Amino acid sequence: MAVLRLGYAHLRVTDIEAAKRHYIYTMGLYPVLDTGDKVYLKAWDEWDHHSVVLEQGGVGVAKVGFKVAKPEDIDDIENKSRTFGVTTQRMSKGENPDVSDGLRITLPSTHIVEVYYEQTMLGSMVGDLNPEVFPRELSGVGVPRIDHALLGCNEVNTTERYFVDVFGFYQVERLVPDLDHKDTTLACWLAYGNRGHDVALIGGDGWDGKLHHLAFQLEGWSETLRAGQIFAMDGVPIDMGPTQHGITRGKTIYFWDPSGNRNEVFADGYIAHRDRPTTIWTADQLGRGINYVSRTLNETFTTIVT
Ligand code: FE
């Protein structure tokens, strides 16, 4: 079984026109399909049809999709989900435009996760024959791809165990209350391949089904600062940064989309391997973990999800 990546996230937005301005003009995503109440977007260095879908009405995350390597992986996840005791439902090709059939799962945290093995391939915006290094008409930040999602949970351990037992993720970093309670996960960063995390989970009262943030990848510190400059030009409200996380070591800015969903631009971090030990953070050090430079935790990190 092989999970390739976080393939898509459907975000609920209160004002789809304002959201389009943010995700297309400021973030630099490309619209590929607009059905009126749903807008399908892709980033310039992604090949598949879409990675971000804006859905009119509400806030938060409607669902996320993980792409797997082959159809048999769907059967494997279905069987393992049944053993785990999680509800699944087969999804048909075309239920999501340009996405294959697959499986729809309700996580213990109540998030809807879809698993699929194919999307219509549109190709990146520079093509795959003697390509330029980026498209010169990029708008705003010009993010190359989505990176990861941090999802809220009332209680993290069960959903963490689901990602490990069923999806085959490994635990890269974990936040625990203190060294006497190392089995209690307050938050965790989970990967399948060599990236520091493909998905992360964080606990909070009433946080089941909630979105903490959706992150977009950037190349480095200079690009992170440049993203901040674009946010200044476009009046994008900032939550935190630019700074560096201690956890994952990513360079980061947290900011808000026009509906109040938290976004992140995330650069660098390290290469992870499956045989690594899990890094442990204790809750008293969370300030350094999230905001390594100032070592102070912004209050919104543990209080605002959508
Ligand atoms: Fe993040």
Side-chain angles (χ1 to χ4, degrees):
M1 206 262 287
V3 176
L4 297 178
R5 60 180 167 275
L6 175 67
Y8 55 75
H10 286 233
L11 298 180
R12 296 192 190 96
V13 296
T14 51
D15 178 343
I16 205 156
E17 291 305 319
K20 278 159 69 174
R21 272 196 305 282
H22 173 76
Y23 287 98
I24 297 171
Y25 178 68
T26 300
M27 300 307 295
L29 299 179
Y30 289 77
V32 293
L33 176 66
D34 190 335
T35 64
D37 61 345
K38 287 183 189 169
V39 180
Y40 295 75
L41 307 166
K42 79 187 279 291
W44 71 262
D45 210 18
E46 293 169 337
W47 308 277
D48 280 350
H49 184 265
H50 60 263
S51 58
V52 174
V53 182
L54 308 175
E55 297 192 2
Q56 174 69 52
V59 291
V61 61
K63 59 188 181 184
V64 297
F66 286 96
K67 189 176 187 182
V68 293
K70 54 189 189 302
E72 297 74 43
D73 293 334
I74 306 285
D75 304 328
D76 190 30
I77 290 173
E78 186 176 41
N79 289 333
K80 287 178 174 159
S81 294
R82 200 168 289 147
T83 304
F84 192 93
V86 151
T87 310
T88 64
Q89 174 198 346
R90 283 281 168 167
M91 108 184 157
S92 307
K93 179 179 165 71
E95 279 185 46
N96 297 290
D98 293 85
V99 177
S100 70
D101 59 291
L103 193 68
R104 186 171 296 123
I105 300 153
T106 306
L107 291 180
S109 59
T110 75
H111 295 94
I112 305 297
V113 168
E114 294 174 339
V115 185
Y116 65 99
Y117 55 90
E118 196 170 58
Q119 274 199 32
T120 303
M121 188 178 283
L122 298 181
S124 87
M125 303 310 284
V126 293
D128 51 14
L129 177 64
N130 306 321
E132 304 297 349
V133 294
F134 62 85
R136 64 187 304 155
E137 75 279 9
L138 274 179
S139 182
V141 180
V143 292
R145 60 183 68 83
I146 60 170
D147 194 277
H148 63 268
L150 175 51
L151 304 176
C153 309
N154 290 351
E155 176 272 321
V156 178
N157 282 80
T158 310
T159 303
E160 176 186 27
R161 191 162 56 81
Y162 178 85
F163 273 102
V164 171
D165 291 358
V166 177
F167 276 25
F169 281 51
Y170 60 100
Q171 294 140 304
V172 181
E173 305 205 30
R174 290 174 62 242
L175 174 72
V176 302
D178 55 56
L179 292 179
D180 294 330
H181 300 88
K182 280 169 78 170
D183 292 337
T184 301
T185 308
L186 299 178
C188 60
W189 289 259
L190 307 170
Y192 186 86
N194 293 121
R195 303 180 48 254
H197 58 317
D198 298 292
V199 70
L201 306 171
I202 182 168
D205 279 345
W207 281 18
D208 267 357
K210 299 289 190 182
L211 174 70
H212 191 281
H213 64 264
L214 174 67
F216 297 90
Q217 202 178 101
L218 286 180
E219 267 183 15
W221 183 246
S222 302
E223 291 289 301
T224 307
L225 175 60
R226 184 179 172 281
Q229 294 163 338
I230 298 287
F231 298 152
M233 292 178 198
D234 290 356
V236 174
I238 301 298
D239 182 25
M240 184 189 88
T243 184
Q244 181 175 23
H245 294 309
I247 299 168
T248 73
R249 298 185 198 144
K251 286 96 177 187
T252 178
I253 305 175
Y254 288 135
F255 52 101
W256 308 101
D257 82 359
S259 304
N261 295 308
R262 189 188 282 100
N263 291 171
E264 180 183 24
V265 284
F266 181 92
D268 300 332
Y270 48 73
I271 302 295
H273 291 275
R274 211 162 252 283
D275 60 341
R276 58 166 287 144
T278 301
T279 297
I280 299 293
W281 288 84
T282 51
D284 62 313
Q285 296 295 309
L286 185 58
R288 280 172 69 236
I290 301 305
N291 195 344
Y292 186 73
V293 179
S294 78
R295 288 148 281 150
T296 52
L297 186 65
N298 54 328
E299 195 212 332
T300 50
F301 190 85
T302 53
T303 54
I304 299 184
V305 289
T306 55

